[in-house]
Amino acid sequence: MKSVVTVCCLSFLLGLVAVVETDEDYTEDEEMILSLILQDDTQPEAESRPSAQFYRCTKDAWRMPGQYIVVMRNGTHVNQVERTARRLRAKAAKRGYLIEILQTYSGAFHGFLVKMSSDVLHMAVKLPHVEYIEEDSSIFAQSIPWNLQPVILVYSDDGAKVGVYLLDTSVQVTHREIEDRVMVTDFNSVPEEDGVRVHRQASQCDSHGTHTAGVVSGRDSGVARGASVNSVRVLNCQGKGTVSGALAGLEYIQSSLMSQPIRPVIVLLPFVGGFSRTLNTACRKMVESDTVLIAAAGNYNDDACLYSPASEPEVITVGAVNLADQPLSTGTTGTNVGRCVDVFAPGDDIISASSDCSTCFTTKSGTSQAAAHVAGIAAVLLNLSPNSSSAELLQQLLHHSVRQIINPESLPLNHRLTTPNMVATLPDSTSTLIGEDLLCRSVWSERSAVKGLATTTARCRHGEEMLSCSSFSQNGARAGERVEVSNGQKECVAVNGNGGHGVFAVARCCTGHKAQCQMLESPKRGEVAECPPDHQLTGCSSSSSSGDVSDSDRPPHGSRGACPAKRGEMSYASCCHTSSLECRLKEHDPTGLSEQVEVSCEDSWTLTGCQGLSHGSGVCGAFALGNTCVVHTSGGDKGTAAIATCCRHQLYYLSEASV
């Protein structure tokens, strides 16, 4: 039987590579296929290695079986990618399968896109240098065709120094709103439309992209009318694309920026797909190369962390609000929310260019429109401060946003604390904010497991400094928090307490600090963690190994800052060294009992740390909300105090006062 199989495989190979009875040399591919076919199947492979991981979209309806993204390990060279693809083709041919390499990637990651039977997967995951394989899946434009009352926005005429790359459908460049403002690139990677009766009229194919481009830089309806837009088509006429196509689009942009450097640059991603590790990685790598990425949160009334690229922490993810500045929602459709959303923006009936004719306008709603709105605001900010990093830009966006305008009751209960209550607006014309201002934001982790001493982690973005770490538990059962360093990055680690329902870690992440900061722990349990001379204390943390934590004493400030700890607990101090930074404590200790105690830093001061001081009441934890330190209590009869650490650049304000 084995000889029959070998003969059949050889016959297949003869037709595949046109082997003839001559002295002509075989190619490397042909030699590899021949050698693998002639191997004795009864012998095990010489090399045994663990299988690579395999991932697929959690949304079954969005999966694309038979098309796979093969991601190589870090440090893999291009020639190793090519050899891996050839080896996979040879192994598949040995079993009688044909595969097709559709795309290779060499930008944000090294790998290739392959079309093959799922029966070949078990061979693919065994290949050397393969880190993981991800099944391709669909992505979708995030506009909702509702017929609501129009809203007229206030726009700015700016952004001329900024280039925007728009990954969307095609764009009607002859529309008067965007004529001479949009350049259509030669990139096009879209799947076939679903169904056999799809009519590809230009107005249909250009609908989403034309409207989005108009929101960014339209003559009358654009937020940043001076910004130029480059159209990179990754969505078909139905507003549908693929993860692999989006990856190819990002790689195209990277290649374009290498050949013709432009800065500052914004990449607008007005689509979502299911969670994709590969797409998130590619986005993260682009941000690390000084590109700003802005994405739609998604229109599924769901947790944005379940979708990509919305879930990537380095991407600025935008949710949508309606005319009343409340989360956009109708029935089962509406904006995604949660800790992966960075900011909200208008997304309800936004007026912009229509692809029906060169002078037509229409209204569209959704997180695509909200993301385009933020891309326009970002272009205005980058025009003012073109050297701002993505992290600094986000801090500026949040600084200019309208805070605490969203009714918390309109958010799902499990996302009320972690969803940012901020709606983006254009900066005031009198604003003097620049990239060197001390600005901070709170980053929440996911909730930990409910078992005792379970941990969860919050991290800052690339370019941000963690100036404090706190934790929060709904029922007050927590074991505190600590700061660890992993791969050179600080992590705020919160620990669930005995009988806890899960705990959150809350990192205070800042830019513009101009300081060298470090986290110092106490020498022993129960002892203070003290900052060195000439350092400023920006925040305190404490943790317990017993599963329960009592909130620390008041941290002393003076020539040196220190963080005390109760008996049996470790304390941690965030200490920053700079001659220009000054920090001080501000405390609110109400005389009566209250379920929530707050204290805010004054104007010109920035909240860097937040603590609760218990007088006997149980403390659920403390967290920063804007420039306010918020402490929740879980009951008791002696009250709780809230302690804020407020910092600012001393020299900046001294020079300002002397003018």
Side-chain angles (χ1 to χ4, degrees):
M1 176 63 72
K2 178 185 173 184
S3 61
V4 174
V5 172
T6 302
V7 169
C8 291
C9 287
L10 281 171
S11 299
F12 164 73
L13 179 65
L14 290 173
L16 180 66
V17 299
V19 176
V20 295
E21 295 180 357
T22 69
D23 293 332
E24 182 180 356
D25 291 338
Y26 295 129
T27 66
E28 186 179 356
D29 278 5
E30 294 163 358
E31 289 176 349
M32 182 182 290
I33 295 173
L34 278 171
S35 65
L36 285 170
I37 288 178
L38 295 174
Q39 281 180 2
D40 186 351
D41 280 346
T42 64
Q43 299 297 320
E45 290 196 26
E47 188 177 357
S48 178
R49 63 181 62 85
S51 298
Q53 293 294 317
F54 174 66
Y55 302 98
R56 59 161 52 107
C57 182
T58 55
K59 305 288 185 180
D60 288 344
W62 298 357
R63 291 176 50 204
M64 297 178 63
Q67 197 157 294
Y68 305 93
I69 303 162
V70 180
V71 178
M72 311 299 286
R73 296 173 188 163
N74 286 337
T76 303
H77 299 294
V78 174
N79 61 342
Q80 290 173 316
V81 175
E82 295 172 350
R83 286 186 60 82
T84 302
R86 289 198 300 267
R87 186 175 182 86
L88 178 58
R89 185 185 293 114
K91 282 179 169 288
K94 180 182 175 184
R95 302 297 194 275
Y97 292 101
L98 282 173
I99 71 170
E100 182 181 1
I101 306 300
L102 302 175
Q103 171 86 30
T104 58
Y105 303 99
S106 58
F109 70 98
H110 283 78
F112 56 91
L113 176 67
V114 57
K115 189 173 184 178
M116 64 185 182
S117 167
S118 59
D119 295 334
V120 183
L121 268 175
H122 73 283
M123 292 182 272
V125 295
K126 289 285 189 180
L127 291 170
H129 308 299
V130 173
E131 182 177 356
Y132 65 90
I133 296 176
E134 181 177 313
E135 185 181 68
D136 204 358
S137 55
S138 298
I139 58 176
F140 301 91
Q142 294 300 297
S143 291
I144 308 170
W146 294 339
N147 293 316
L148 303 178
Q149 292 300 315
V151 56
I152 297 178
L153 303 173
V154 178
Y155 298 105
S156 173
D157 189 1
D158 215 330
K161 300 176 184 176
V162 183
V164 179
Y165 280 90
L166 172 62
L167 278 72
D168 209 313
T169 64
S170 55
V171 176
Q172 184 185 341
V173 294
T174 57
H175 196 288
R176 65 171 300 275
E177 274 291 282
I178 55 177
E179 190 175 11
D180 300 326
R181 296 170 185 235
V182 176
M183 185 192 79
V184 177
T185 67
D186 58 359
F187 181 86
N188 192 323
S189 179
V190 299
E192 288 293 322
E193 283 79 9
D194 298 328
V196 296
R197 288 191 171 184
V198 174
H199 298 288
R200 296 182 178 87
Q201 300 99 333
S203 61
Q204 182 182 359
C205 293
D206 300 345
S207 173
H208 193 266
T210 302
H211 192 275
T212 306
V215 173
V216 175
S217 65
R219 281 183 172 83
D220 295 316
S221 61
V223 179
R225 300 174 187 174
S228 60
V229 177
N230 300 278
S231 171
V232 179
R233 192 182 183 201
V234 297
L235 302 177
N236 64 17
C237 298
Q238 296 169 321
K240 181 178 179 181
T242 62
V243 167
S244 59
L247 291 170
L250 292 174
E251 186 151 298
Y252 172 86
I253 294 171
Q254 272 193 312
S255 177
S256 299
L257 292 175
M258 288 180 65
S259 60
Q260 289 185 317
I262 304 172
R263 197 169 191 275
V265 174
I266 297 171
V267 176
L268 176 56
L269 310 170
F271 58 80
V272 301
F275 182 87
S276 168
R277 177 178 176 178
T278 315
L279 183 54
N280 283 7
T281 299
C283 290
R284 180 168 64 253
K285 295 293 186 181
M286 284 203 73
V287 173
E288 290 173 358
S289 63
D290 292 329
T291 303
V292 174
L293 270 66
I294 298 175
N299 299 336
Y300 301 100
N301 264 346
D302 204 354
D303 184 353
C305 294
L306 302 177
Y307 301 83
S308 288
S311 55
E312 171 49 45
E314 296 293 335
V315 169
I316 298 174
T317 299
V318 186
V321 290
N322 60 21
L323 298 174
D325 283 325
Q326 302 307 307
L328 190 60
S329 181
T330 175
T332 59
T333 304
T335 183
N336 286 349
V337 296
R339 65 186 181 89
C340 287
V341 175
D342 293 302
V343 69
F344 288 86
D348 182 1
D349 240 21
I350 304 301
I351 302 172
S352 186
S354 168
S355 56
D356 290 335
C357 73
S358 62
T359 57
C360 296
F361 286 82
T362 189
T363 58
K364 287 182 180 290
S365 302
T367 54
S368 283
Q369 279 62 46
H373 190 89
V374 169
I377 297 175
V380 172
L381 291 171
L382 287 174
N383 209 65
L384 297 172
S385 183
N387 293 323
S388 296
S389 67
S390 180
E392 290 169 338
L393 175 65
L394 173 60
Q395 295 280 9
Q396 294 169 32
L397 279 167
L398 300 182
H399 176 81
H400 293 294
S401 294
V402 179
R403 302 168 185 264
Q404 306 306 311
I405 195 171
I406 297 174
N407 180 5
E409 300 295 324
S410 64
L411 296 167
L413 182 61
N414 57 331
H415 292 299
R416 284 180 188 172
L417 281 174
T418 60
T419 302
N421 197 326
M422 286 179 276
V423 177
T425 61
L426 286 162
D428 187 277
S429 59
T430 61
S431 173
T432 58
L433 186 69
I434 58 175
E436 297 179 351
D437 292 87
L438 177 62
L439 300 174
C440 299
R441 67 188 184 99
S442 294
V443 176
W444 288 72
S445 70
E446 62 182 345
R447 186 167 60 180
S448 75
V450 297
K451 64 181 181 179
L453 301 182
T455 62
T456 186
T457 302
R459 302 175 184 85
C460 295
R461 288 175 186 250
H462 176 74
E464 291 180 325
E465 180 76 39
M466 187 185 298
L467 295 190
S468 69
C469 167
S470 62
S471 61
F472 182 83
S473 168
Q474 294 282 6
N475 70 342
R478 58 190 181 88
E481 66 282 332
R482 60 180 182 268
V483 176
E484 298 178 350
V485 178
S486 176
N487 297 322
Q489 183 181 19
K490 293 176 185 174
E491 298 180 338
C492 175
V493 181
V495 186
N496 191 43
N498 297 322
H501 298 162
V503 68
F504 295 93
V506 189
R508 193 65 173 164
C509 302
C510 306
T511 59
H513 47 83
K514 297 181 180 179
Q516 295 178 342
C517 302
Q518 57 184 321
M519 291 288 179
L520 300 177
E521 64 179 34
S522 54
K524 296 180 181 179
R525 295 187 181 278
E527 296 185 2
V528 299
E530 188 174 14
C531 291
D534 301 323
H535 281 64
Q536 292 287 335
L537 178 67
T538 61
C540 293
S541 305
S542 62
S543 66
S544 167
S545 59
S546 66
D548 296 292
V549 68
S550 57
D551 288 273
S552 304
D553 292 329
R554 184 178 291 100
H557 271 245
S559 58
R560 292 190 185 183
C563 297
K566 299 291 187 181
R567 182 177 180 181
E569 296 177 5
M570 292 292 292
S571 63
Y572 306 87
S574 173
C575 307
C576 295
H577 176 64
T578 177
S579 59
S580 66
L581 191 69
E582 64 171 328
C583 300
R584 67 185 187 187
L585 293 181
K586 186 176 181 183
E587 179 179 339
H588 178 50
D589 193 349
T591 55
L593 298 179
S594 176
E595 293 183 355
Q596 179 172 309
V597 182
E598 299 180 0
V599 60
S600 299
C601 297
E602 294 96 341
D603 290 344
S604 81
W605 293 82
T606 301
L607 179 68
T608 63
C610 176
Q611 284 181 273
L613 177 61
S614 171
H615 301 311
S617 301
V619 176
C620 295
F623 56 89
L625 191 63
N627 222 29
T628 300
C629 174
V630 180
V631 178
H632 283 234
T633 65
S634 58
D637 56 359
K638 296 184 179 180
T640 300
I643 303 174
T645 304
C646 306
C647 300
R648 71 177 182 179
H649 286 306
Q650 183 180 25
L651 295 180
Y652 172 79
Y653 287 101
L654 284 175
S655 62
E656 187 181 61
S658 64
V659 175

